[in-house]
Amino acid sequence: MTAPASPRLSVVIPTLGRPILLQTLDSLLRTQGAADLDIVVAGAIPDPAVREGVRERAERHPQIRHLSISFPVGDSSEKKNAGWRAARADIVAFLDDDVVVAPDWPARMLGPFADEATAMVSGPSLVPPDVGLFARLAGLALSSPAAGYVAWRYRADRADAVSIKWSKIIGCNMAYRRNVLEDVGGFDPAFWPGEEMIASFRTQERGHRLMFEPGAYVYHYPRQSLRRFWKQIHGYGATRIRLFRAGVEVELSTMV
């Protein structure tokens, strides 16, 4: 197999080199239209077994490229920026390195971009069926009305793509037009973690359309302990405070 000359979609995966990265890659390679993907793994991989797993997959599937990079400040932001700048397609998606994508995820993610007004697309992050009880309860909590603004991002209960505000995107499952990323300056390392949110706010500020595509879902492996779950929720709150200080619009649901 050779790398596609004109890939339809580039997929950037910023990573710390966790073993689950291999599962993310395998799910992408199983999707319908996988041959038209350009996949960029961005991050140093300390674990030799994981590093070898990526190398073997890249050898069999030349559309996979590995950028062995790390940064002392704003690591995830900088990896995303390096990834989209190296991307070969005009539409660039971003996935966390601990997700499994839907079988038709590429087509679903690309669908809303058929409208030239669409600048950015995000999709749901669902709880995988093969996780323990606590992880499932954590996922249910995040998708419930009590979770406020984040609940939208953890459900796939709509049939069609809808226009959304910047605060409804989810960073582990999103895609941009490359020229829009250039326009907003990519992902600001000063806002890490939470660089995805300030980028979506700046995209909306410039008058671009943001869409949510329920069919472009991923299964995102959640925090599997109370301590890690609490750390996740604390991180959401800290990110919102940074965003408010940066001058984003204040939403009551976000504050709750």
Side-chain angles (χ1 to χ4, degrees):
M1 182 183 293
T2 59
S6 300
R8 297 187 63 208
L9 178 67
S10 287
V11 184
V12 176
I13 308 173
T15 186
L16 294 172
R18 296 177 291 177
I20 199 170
L21 165 66
L22 301 180
Q23 185 171 305
T24 301
L25 288 173
D26 288 343
S27 75
L28 278 169
L29 293 170
R30 289 193 299 267
T31 57
Q32 301 160 19
D36 293 325
L37 297 179
D38 165 42
I39 303 171
V40 182
V41 177
I45 301 177
D47 186 327
V50 179
R51 191 164 60 245
E52 179 63 14
V54 172
R55 188 199 66 78
E56 289 176 349
R57 285 162 175 77
E59 192 172 76
R60 296 196 306 269
H61 305 277
Q63 72 257 51
I64 298 176
R65 290 176 287 149
H66 177 212
L67 307 179
S68 183
I69 53 178
S70 62
F71 303 88
V73 178
D75 185 69
S76 179
S77 307
E78 296 287 19
K79 287 172 181 174
K80 289 184 179 74
N81 288 333
W84 71 259
R85 288 177 179 130
R88 293 169 177 158
D90 292 332
I91 307 296
V92 186
F94 299 87
L95 293 173
D96 279 9
D97 67 351
D98 57 353
V99 306
V100 170
V101 303
D104 57 351
W105 178 83
R108 292 284 194 165
M109 188 60 82
L110 284 168
F113 286 107
D115 186 335
E116 291 296 326
T118 299
M120 185 266 186
V121 176
S122 186
S125 171
L126 309 181
V127 178
D130 59 342
V131 295
L133 177 61
F134 178 80
R136 291 197 65 78
L137 290 174
L140 288 172
L142 288 172
S143 63
S144 73
Y149 81 95
V150 301
W152 175 287
R153 310 184 303 177
Y154 295 89
R155 297 196 298 258
D157 54 0
R158 292 174 179 268
D160 302 313
V162 292
S163 179
I164 57 172
K165 297 180 66 173
W166 67 275
S167 57
K168 296 295 195 299
I169 70 104
I170 184 162
C172 73
N173 183 23
M174 62 182 183
Y176 276 89
R177 291 191 190 276
R178 184 190 176 102
N179 62 350
V180 172
L181 287 170
E182 293 169 349
D183 182 35
V184 301
F187 300 96
D188 190 342
F191 281 88
W192 177 84
E195 69 275 13
E196 305 98 337
M197 304 309 296
I198 194 68
S200 65
F201 175 71
R202 290 170 178 168
T203 299
Q204 180 179 293
E205 267 198 317
R206 284 163 171 75
H208 297 300
R209 179 184 298 166
L210 284 63
M211 299 291 291
F212 189 85
E213 170 50 71
Y217 65 85
V218 302
Y219 287 112
H220 194 189
Y221 282 79
R223 308 304 191 267
Q224 309 236 3
S225 71
L226 180 60
R227 177 178 167 274
R228 294 188 66 204
F229 178 65
W230 177 250
K231 185 177 179 181
Q232 178 184 14
I233 299 304
H234 179 272
Y236 284 153
T239 295
R240 291 297 148 172
I241 291 171
R242 287 197 303 275
L243 290 167
F244 290 153
R245 288 173 176 170
V248 305
E249 59 184 313
V250 176
E251 299 174 316
L252 180 59
S253 62
T254 299
M255 294 176 67
V256 172

